[in-house]
Amino acid sequence: MTLYRLTAVLVFSLMLVLSGLVGIAPSGSLRSAAAASGVAVKVQCDGNPEVTRVTNNRSSAVKIKNVGSVYKPRSNEPFRVDRRLAAGKTIAFETGYDANSNTLTRQYIYNSDVGNKEGTGVRTSVGSFVDRC
């Protein structure tokens, strides 16, 4: 694992842990924070492909830095995307065998067998967001 990827994984993991320590609940409160920031994240964990949607409801563009799973992420996660998302637009990132648009990997990354322990983590220029399976 490169130093950049290792650093990105550690920073992302630390942000998730710290958000739990300051009392942000994994579902409702993060969704409220996402609504306040103007960014919405939604994951579909069971499909083929698995789909992570990021919507920018702000009046200006945001940069999507990386996307990855929350529960036991693979060694190659989070996936660096560095995509600019214009105001009012949505982008869908796909994973799994049938991924064919904005493909992060052809592997499945979400483990829906663990319920709401699993989900997606998306880091943007305006904050980090989680949506659970």
Side-chain angles (χ1 to χ4, degrees):
M1 178 179 290
T2 67
L3 182 58
Y4 173 81
R5 290 207 185 269
L6 181 59
T7 302
V9 168
L10 290 173
V11 167
F12 186 71
S13 299
L14 181 61
M15 288 176 9
L16 288 174
V17 168
L18 289 176
S19 68
L21 292 176
V22 296
I24 298 176
S27 57
S29 294
L30 281 178
R31 288 193 182 118
S32 298
S37 73
V39 174
V41 173
K42 185 69 179 156
V43 66
Q44 177 188 346
C45 298
D46 292 326
N48 183 16
E50 301 166 323
V51 181
T52 300
R53 285 185 177 76
V54 181
T55 302
N56 179 8
N57 294 313
R58 298 168 55 90
S59 59
S60 59
V62 297
K63 184 173 184 179
I64 303 168
K65 297 178 180 182
N66 58 44
V67 177
S69 64
V70 174
Y71 179 79
K72 295 185 179 179
R74 297 172 183 271
S75 62
N76 60 342
E77 293 183 64
F79 300 98
R80 183 176 174 181
V81 294
D82 289 331
R83 296 286 296 265
R84 180 184 179 278
L85 185 58
K89 298 294 182 182
T90 298
I91 188 168
F93 296 101
E94 296 182 354
T95 54
Y97 181 76
D98 284 344
N100 61 17
S101 178
N102 295 312
T103 303
L104 301 175
T105 180
R106 297 252 183 229
Q107 297 175 323
Y108 297 101
I109 65 170
Y110 300 117
N111 181 352
S112 58
D113 292 341
V114 297
N116 67 0
K117 289 181 184 178
E118 182 63 281
T120 190
V122 178
R123 190 166 62 98
T124 74
S125 58
V126 296
S128 296
F129 307 96
V130 174
D131 185 47
R132 302 290 178 164
C133 295

